Amino acid sequence: MMSKRQTSLHDFISNNNVILKRAAILSKSVGKKPGEIDNEQKLFSNFGGQDEDVDCIYIGSRPAAKAVIKNDVSINTVKREGDSKVSRAAGTRKKLQRVKHVKKEANKNNKSDSCISQLKASSFTSNRHSSANSKSKTTLQQHELKNERLSCEMTKSEKESTSVFPTITDEVSIDELPHNTSESFYLDNFTFALSSVLGNAEDKALLNDEDLEVINTFDHLSEAGRKLYVRLFQRKYRWLPMSKLKYPGIAADLSFALQELLSAGFLIGEQNLHDLTVVLGLLPAPDLRILAKDVRLADTGQPKSRLVECIVQHCSTQRSVFGRSMHSVVFKKAKRLLGSCCLLKEEPRVTLLRMLLLFSLTDITLEDEDAGLKVLFSLLMANMQKIVYPSYTISRSVKALRDRDSLIRLQKLLFSAAELMGHLQRHEFEPALQDYLMAKREFDNYYKDEDVVRYDESLPVWVREFTPNSLYTKLLYLGVEVLQKMRNYAAAVIQLEELLGQTAYCITSRGRWWERLSLNIDQHLKQPAKALCVITSGLLDPHVRTGHKLGLYLRAVKICSSPKNKSLKNRLEDVPAVLCQEPPSRVFHGKLFPKSTTAAKTSFYAPDFAENEGLCGVEDLALMHYEQLGYTDGVHGEGATMTTVLSLIFWDIVFMDGIMDTFWSPFQSQPLDLRWDNFYLNRKKEIDRRLEELSNWSDEVLCEKVENCWTAHVGETCVLTSWDLFKSVDHVKSLVTCIGGSVLAKILEKILKDHRHCRGGMPDLMVWNRKDKTFKFAEVSIILLF
């Protein structure tokens, strides 16, 4: 076991005098999670819903069309996870005015003498002083100084200044988040992330001497050089014309800072640019047309991308009158038009990305090509008080990455995944296939290492998600998509069988894998009998839950009832049944607004009895009709309605202390084990006690608990909570009193025990009547009948 490091987020906020205005954020999760399918009637299979509490609605338009809304509850229709959308409350406007004033003062100071700042790891306050400023002015006026002269211009006091990073023996606590509102906050946040990694002995052990040398070199850059590098570091990785780099908050003239970065090996210049296509792509459109006229292209009015292709193609087939290749002639002209340009040097950039990857390990996804960069945005939002994270205790007892080799593999894997996904988006299936096959070979070799697998299996399942093998497993499932796009379904089936053959990684994805495997075997390989065997195995898999079970069973019903499979009709009896209760339905009629395009959203004219005229969505139309039926309140929140109520009753338990390795970062909106069975098992005693209390709470006590939690935490970013879903705390209180503590406890118990599979699939609408304390769930969907 490694040494435990515990840090209170509340302590570092108070220590740094950070005033967090809890009302600064209103968050709401919207949309459905990409890639997840809809499965029917999950509410009834999970909650045992009663007929009188759930409606199926039919909405139609007369006379042109009829819209039928029937119950089609989606198990995997979820509110967007992760950090919610945020918006500032009016109370922060004065603070922003002060921020603008500070920025103006900083810009004025940049025009005068500036000093080289030193950021101590404990307080991140600037106190580095140097007499190099007078020489910096002279240097800025002399743009063609050689590297030797530039190094001589650095004064002795600057070279001997104290490092912005801790020494090798220092330890930096992550509870020292910088809180600046000046132009230096980009650098401060970047420095904070690096210092946090260096201050953690376990993370620092994954770095080698070359990594530390890069950090040391960065440390000894001037303040302007470090600021400029951080700004370039956060931009898209590509060549940049120096003439277009404008950062007046850093310096009016960036020549000195750019030359310093070139000399220190953090940038490379245009002499390293040898790709004609890249050079042409950097040219402005007018310069590109001038070049096209020089090479006598017929049509110079084409779009820029097409013009680049034509010039490159022309150069590959034509020669000059002297027999020289047109490629070299055009390349020289293009570089002359382009002027000076720069690119971040690969080695230092990869090293610093690796540092940020360690700092933000719990936030990585396959979509992160530059893994770690988004944590700088989280730092920025927290620094500017646009996001307030809940208070909890950080505790780490295990290492997700076994050694440095695991870290290197993880970083390379993220680069490969980004390339594969890019090829998929551009429909470049052959390059995507090669990326997949390479990843497969690496995974096969790595998976054979029993020590690695044994170490991963010793980790908590929610920490195991951050290991290279877990991400390799997800990448291999992306390979299944590539194979299916290329119609190689036999190979896709083999890959799915291999994924299902192991139970160490991505066990929560097994339901999706079983469904995809049964579909491929049935529909594409035309082997319905084998598909039934696969479905039976999937239904007996303990990791397959709720909606995935229903999806597998419905496919079995489809196979056995097909006229083509008469011999399999009796095989349905051998398949474990998954039965659901059919809900009642209700019909509403509305006038359909004609679509301008097929992609336009379906809208209805507001009914005559509505207060507001105009157009509305189908959910709003249903809410209006329910209001006519006596339901005084209603929200369109799907699963967010119940998870918001859950968070207001169980907030202290969700973010409770004493459970190791559930909080690794100050920027978490949920414990790491939330979507695992372990969430309930780790808090079983506390959850069971609260559920029992909830069942016995009177309406007055229930309202008091909800109001106290709302008042204490409103605006804090929590993945369970959508603060702007309800109008006010009184709106929430009216809902919970209508449901009652006893019924509420049964609903919330299901979500608490299996949040991953029960957080979604809830009906679209929740309506209730404050007077007679009745409520109803209603799922809405549209079928147009002409």
Side-chain angles (χ1 to χ4, degrees), residues 225-256:
R226 284 182 281 122
K227 284 182 178 180
L228 179 59
Y229 184 81
V230 171
R231 296 303 296 268
L232 298 178
F233 184 80
Q234 296 184 69
R235 295 180 63 159
K236 185 175 181 180
Y237 183 58
R238 61 183 179 184
W239 284 91
L240 299 170
M242 290 187 183
S243 60
K244 293 186 177 181
L245 296 179
K246 306 292 182 183
Y247 292 107
I250 298 175
D253 187 347
L254 297 174
S255 303
F256 173 76

Side-chain angles (χ1 to χ4, degrees), residues 456-473:
D456 290 347
E457 290 179 331
S458 69
L459 298 172
V461 287
W462 61 90
V463 176
R464 198 184 309 165
E465 286 291 286
F466 314 128
T467 61
N469 274 357
S470 286
L471 292 181
Y472 270 122
T473 305

Side-chain angles (χ1 to χ4, degrees), residues 508-642:
T508 56
S509 299
R510 295 178 66 82
R512 183 167 67 251
W513 296 346
W514 282 115
E515 284 197 87
R516 174 54 61 180
L517 179 60
S518 63
L519 184 148
N520 282 342
I521 294 176
D522 175 34
Q523 294 293 316
H524 301 298
L525 300 188
K526 307 299 181 182
Q527 300 176 11
K530 183 178 178 180
L532 279 178
C533 295
V534 168
I535 290 171
T536 302
S537 299
L539 290 172
L540 297 176
D541 190 330
H543 300 295
V544 178
R545 309 283 178 84
T546 54
H548 294 302
K549 275 191 172 183
L550 181 60
L552 287 169
Y553 182 72
L554 292 177
R555 179 157 297 281
V557 172
K558 182 178 179 180
I559 292 173
C560 295
S561 60
S562 174
K564 299 179 181 179
N565 304 322
K566 294 182 179 180
S567 60
L568 302 176
K569 185 176 182 179
N570 297 328
R571 290 279 300 274
L572 186 61
E573 300 175 357
D574 301 330
V575 179
V578 180
L579 303 177
C580 296
Q581 181 180 354
E582 185 69 24
S585 61
R586 183 181 300 273
V587 178
F588 292 139
H589 296 282
K591 187 177 180 181
L592 185 67
F593 179 76
K595 287 186 177 183
S596 57
T597 63
T598 55
K601 182 179 179 180
T602 302
S603 300
F604 291 84
Y605 290 103
D608 297 335
F609 56 80
E611 296 181 0
N612 300 323
E613 298 180 356
L615 301 179
C616 62
V618 64
E619 294 85 4
D620 295 328
L621 181 64
L623 286 173
M624 295 175 190
H625 280 281
Y626 270 117
E627 187 176 0
Q628 288 293 107
L629 295 177
Y631 290 93
T632 57
D633 297 273
V635 292
H636 172 212
E638 302 183 17
T641 305
M642 283 294 101

Side-chain angles (χ1 to χ4, degrees), residues 18-50:
V18 180
I19 302 173
L20 298 181
K21 296 196 175 183
R22 297 187 181 278
I25 308 159
L26 296 174
S27 59
K28 179 181 179 182
S29 301
V30 294
K32 295 184 177 180
K33 184 176 180 181
E36 294 194 345
I37 63 172
D38 291 342
N39 295 293
E40 297 180 355
Q41 304 165 345
K42 179 228 175 216
L43 175 68
F44 308 101
S45 62
N46 282 333
F47 301 127
Q50 300 177 1

